[in-house]
Amino acid sequence: MIPAAGSSDVRVRFAPSPTGMFHVGGARSALFNWAVAKQQGGTFVLRVEDTDAARNKPEWVDGILNALAALGMHAEDPTFEGPYFQSQNVEKHREASARLYEAGRAYYCDCTRDDVAARTGNAHSGYDGFCRDRGLTYAPGRALRFRTPDDGETQVVDLIRGNPTFPNSAMEDFVVARGDGSPVFLLANVVDDLGEGITHVIRGEEHLPNTPKQQLLWEALGAQPPTWAHLPVIVNEKRQKLSKRRDKVALEDYLAEGYLPDAMVNYLMLLGWAPGNDEEILPFDELVERFRIEDVNSASAFFDVKKLLSFNGEYIRKMSVEDFVAAVDPWLHAPKAPWTEEQYDAAAFGRVAPLAQSRVALLADITDNVDFLFLDEPVDDERSWAKAMKDGAAELLADARAALADLATWEAEPLKDLVTAVGEKHGLKLGKAQAPVRVAVTGRTIGLPLFESLEVLGRERTLARVDAALAKL
Ligand code: GLU
């Protein structure tokens, strides 16, 4: 049983920066947080980290909200809190930096990168602590740096990675506020988590290097740091980190192609975690019950598009026919479909819908599977033609044409018997014999079961297409 929302103190958050299309990795982070919140009867906070005004756009914020909602994480759900916007907390960030300064935990610094490089002889070295004890006060252009402890170590409690320990001496005095007084990500992110009462920070592994610094900030601000969990990076088939330049990463693109939200959710939940017993396709409630953040793997997770596609096919087959017809509807009309409203015939589609449902893996595939029903002429696919219209195809089609014209009952069974008999006459098994008929009528070598297709297409159009193919041969 999943406990009621808000019945525990667990507060997790998803904190995306609206700087682009919503990444599948972000969706995975959001879902893992959502699963923990649901499972624990806790709260899922959405905080949009929109302080980088130059890179943020309002449409990306809408994109995030819509994508989360499509995956079931929406503001009407009692587990959901927010969205909050980081830009509305800027005063709090400034107050926190002032507190750090007043408590002596941070100091102002006027060093440029070149100054530091000249002193250390290394353009890439960390900050050398030059201003630590200079007692500078604020002036425009002076950054505020956190005074990291000289010795000791910082251990973070990470539910996925053991409890990694970072020597404090290896941490430079990092900047918490820029020369114009504006706080940097490290601080703003902590101040918001603290203010929102976050108990568990579950986020991507790329933030692990920030974590000891952020933990020091929590402590310096007088608060108990959260429990952390850093999720494994997601990689492509070449084991490269998924990147928007190389890979298809936008959740919106997957949904637009006809991946079903439920299939996406199920697949994303398995990026770094497995429910056990070799069971993979499970309803979300069950995934939530079985999910253990401690069991998430620290090794990188392979985003296997083929596997996602096969999940999608399975989810398509689980739908009722009515739901399937509703789901593919956008692909049955312009601009996605290549036929017009006049050419489209909903009743004919209804007849083949169950056949199509059992074979498409992607909703978008529906168009190619049924276009023979609505286009005036079958698609012209040279490769299919070359493959099916070999020697003897013309004779076979001519015989089939004559028999089709005389067939008493235009139904799938007799149509199959007819093509079987014509094939036998030409020494061909049904599989070979039906190929020229299929290409003549649909333009393609693969598609829905042929005889049901012919039944729905009707005698007149079938004969016209076979005639056209014979003329071409
Ligand atoms: N805004 C940060 C990002 O999108 C989130 C960091 C975090 O989750 O703490 O990477």
Side-chain angles (χ1 to χ4, degrees):
M1 251 271 302
I2 295 176
S7 65
S8 86
D9 297 335
V10 170
R11 290 175 63 81
V12 295
R13 83 327 188 249
F14 176 54
S17 306
T19 53
M21 299 284 272
F22 189 57
H23 194 290
V24 287
R28 192 269 312 257
S29 296
L31 279 168
F32 280 22
N33 277 286
W34 185 250
V36 168
K38 283 273 171 209
Q39 179 186 72
Q40 301 291 320
T43 302
F44 170 97
V45 173
L46 174 63
R47 180 178 71 242
V48 179
E49 300 211 318
D50 59 345
T51 33
D52 186 349
R55 292 177 64 215
N56 297 163
K57 287 196 203 143
E59 58 264 38
W60 301 133
V61 176
D62 291 341
I64 293 169
L65 293 173
N66 293 338
L68 291 176
L71 300 184
M73 295 169 270
H74 51 78
E76 287 78 51
D77 190 296
T79 300
F80 193 107
E81 187 178 301
Y84 299 127
F85 291 88
Q86 185 160 70
S87 56
Q88 288 172 353
N89 298 338
V90 172
E91 260 330 291
K92 287 196 191 134
H93 307 151
R94 287 180 185 263
E95 274 162 35
S97 57
R99 268 169 57 206
L100 292 173
Y101 172 68
E102 277 150 26
R105 303 301 303 267
Y107 60 89
Y108 284 103
C109 165
D110 62 1
C111 300
T112 64
R113 221 180 274 277
D114 290 346
D115 294 339
V116 180
R119 283 196 300 267
T120 60
N122 176 355
H124 304 290
S125 74
Y127 185 61
D128 61 351
F130 183 77
C131 293
R132 266 195 158 201
D133 301 309
R134 289 176 67 209
L136 296 179
T137 52
Y138 177 69
R142 288 183 183 168
L144 186 67
R145 286 185 182 275
F146 186 74
R147 192 185 296 272
T148 56
D150 295 323
D151 43 32
E153 50 193 26
T154 297
Q155 186 178 51
V156 306
V157 176
D158 187 303
L159 297 174
I160 297 173
R161 272 148 225 281
N163 297 331
T165 304
F166 301 83
N168 291 332
S169 56
M171 255 184 280
E172 65 169 338
D173 287 351
F174 56 91
V175 170
V176 289
R178 303 181 190 87
D180 62 2
S182 65
V184 303
F185 160 75
L186 280 177
L187 179 65
N189 181 261
V190 166
V191 170
D192 291 354
D193 281 344
L194 211 161
E196 289 155 12
I198 301 304
T199 57
H200 295 72
V201 171
I202 302 168
R203 61 181 177 182
E205 182 180 343
E206 64 276 15
H207 288 291
L208 187 59
N210 296 326
T211 306
K213 298 176 186 168
Q214 293 195 302
Q215 177 150 313
L216 289 173
L217 289 173
W218 277 80
E219 288 160 356
L221 292 167
Q224 169 77 31
T227 300
W228 312 87
H230 287 89
L231 307 176
V233 286
I234 303 178
V235 297
N236 65 16
E237 70 285 352
K238 294 189 187 126
R239 311 302 294 176
Q240 298 161 319
K241 188 176 176 192
L242 276 201
S243 107
K244 62 179 169 192
R245 267 162 284 110
R246 233 184 347 239
D247 308 293
K248 183 164 66 180
V249 297
L251 184 81
E252 291 92 329
D253 288 345
Y254 284 95
L255 297 178
E257 279 180 26
Y259 285 91
L260 298 171
D262 287 350
M264 269 330 277
V265 165
N266 194 154
Y267 184 70
L268 291 169
M269 284 296 293
L270 306 185
L271 286 178
W273 174 74
N277 301 340
D278 284 338
E279 287 175 286
E280 296 201 298
I281 301 216
L282 291 167
F284 187 64
D285 281 357
E286 184 142 358
L287 291 169
V288 166
E289 277 192 32
R290 295 197 194 190
F291 188 72
R292 295 288 174 274
I293 189 76
E294 299 83 350
D295 292 344
V296 172
N297 215 314
S298 59
S300 51
F302 171 34
F303 191 82
D304 184 347
V305 183
K306 289 202 191 88
K307 184 164 169 182
L308 169 61
L309 190 63
S310 93
F311 269 47
N312 204 55
E314 296 226 20
Y315 271 87
I316 286 178
R317 284 179 263 304
K318 277 180 202 285
M319 299 171 103
S320 67
V321 180
E322 297 73 51
D323 286 349
F324 173 71
V325 170
V328 293
D329 193 65
W331 284 272
L332 297 175
H333 304 279
K336 291 190 172 174
W339 51 80
T340 64
E341 275 317 292
E342 290 74 53
Q343 288 174 309
Y344 179 63
D345 175 349
F349 178 70
R351 291 173 69 190
V352 297
L355 302 173
Q357 183 178 5
S358 67
R359 62 186 313 281
V360 297
L362 206 55
L363 298 179
D365 290 346
I366 193 66
T367 328
D368 285 357
N369 274 279
V370 300
D371 58 3
F372 72 96
L373 276 178
F374 309 125
L375 295 175
D376 293 343
E377 284 165 21
V379 289
D380 184 9
D381 178 37
E382 277 177 36
R383 283 181 56 200
S384 294
W385 183 271
K387 212 164 146 196
M389 301 303 186
K390 302 228 169 82
D391 284 349
E395 294 72 18
L396 180 131
L397 272 183
D399 284 350
R401 200 286 172 211
L404 288 168
D406 293 339
L407 185 66
T409 320
W410 192 264
E411 279 172 10
E413 263 318 296
L415 282 162
K416 182 177 174 189
D417 295 342
L418 180 153
V419 176
T420 307
V422 174
E424 271 165 15
K425 189 178 151 200
H426 290 259
L428 294 174
K429 292 225 165 65
L430 179 62
K432 288 255 187 276
Q434 68 174 330
V437 180
R438 179 186 287 284
V439 171
V441 173
T442 70
R444 304 178 198 276
T445 47
I446 45 173
L448 301 186
L450 179 63
F451 306 108
E452 283 83 353
S453 299
L454 298 183
E455 180 182 323
V456 177
L457 187 66
R459 189 189 316 253
E460 204 180 312
R461 284 203 288 168
T462 300
L463 292 181
R465 289 181 188 191
V466 173
D467 286 341
L470 281 169
K472 200 170 153 192
L473 284 166

